[in-house]
Each structure stands twice: as structure tokens, then as C-alpha cells.
Amino acid sequence: MNRPGCLKLFLKSRKGFVRVALASGASLVPSIGFAENDLFGQLPNPEGSFTRRFQDVFKAAFSFTIPLAYGRFAFPFPLPTVPLKKKVVVALGEPIETASFAGKTDETIVAELHKRYMAALEDLYERYAPPDSPPLEIV
């Protein structure tokens, strides 16, 4: 789960976006946002806490859960739903062309393009990460 001060990408086992790009002939454009997880705070939810128990019950009932996040108050909103004032840096990489493979969904092609995409994300992190950025973790 992502939290403020964390840069974790759940990407290693997710290859569907590569298959869609291959089927449509679209390019894969690597992009990464720095500090986007800091736009909202999140209530602490350690094991055994009321917050965690609530989230576990919600997940059991609906098969997903939501973080209990907060931002800042802004008129006319009665809840803290406006993002916190944080600088967000977004880096875009060079497109990874898939047109030469268009229509093919061979798993070796998917795996190769996925590997190139993840490597491009790591390169973007190395080149553009602000000094105070948390380490990149791809899981």
C-alpha cells in the first residue's frame, strides 16, 4: 500500500497495459510522478488499530478497501478534501514503440516490452528524482 513519503509501483505482475498497447499499436510512454503520494495525508492504520479493523471489515464485504485520507479544508467543502500544497514533479520518458509488433500478443514480446518499460521508469527515477524523493520500489 502506498503512503505519503513512499514511491512504490505495483507493476511487476501487471502486463495487461502492454497487451492493450500491442493490440492497438499504441506506444508505451513511461511516466513517473514524484511526491504525488504526498498530496493527501493518511490516517495511521497499524495492525490491531480501529482504523485497520474498519478497513479489514470493509474489504471483506466489498473486496477492496479505501485509505482514510485527508487533505486541507477549503470553502465551501466541509471536509478536508482539497490536496495539500505540495510540489509534484512529473517526468515523461521516450515512447517505446509497439507498432512493429501490432496485433501480436506473444508472451515473449509482452515480457520484453514490459521489461523495457520498467527499465525506462528506473532510468526516469535516476535522472529526475528530487533529492528528497523516497527510493523507488517496483513490486
Side-chain angles (χ1 to χ4, degrees), residues 84-104:
L84 301 170
K85 291 184 179 184
K86 299 286 183 176
K87 180 180 178 181
V88 176
V89 176
V90 177
L92 300 174
E94 292 293 321
I96 300 170
E97 298 296 331
T98 64
S100 61
F101 303 108
K104 300 176 186 172

Side-chain angles (χ1 to χ4, degrees), residues 35-93:
E36 63 185 18
N37 289 338
D38 298 334
L39 293 176
F40 288 92
Q42 184 176 336
L43 293 178
N45 62 344
E47 289 288 333
S49 68
F50 173 78
T51 305
R52 177 62 69 89
R53 287 193 308 269
F54 171 79
Q55 288 176 320
D56 289 343
V57 168
F58 190 92
K59 185 174 184 177
F62 300 104
S63 70
F64 71 93
T65 189
I66 54 174
L68 297 175
Y70 60 89
R72 57 189 168 98
F73 288 97
F75 183 76
F77 303 109
L79 298 173
T81 56
V82 177
L84 301 170
K85 291 184 179 184
K86 299 286 183 176
K87 180 180 178 181
V88 176
V89 176
V90 177
L92 300 174

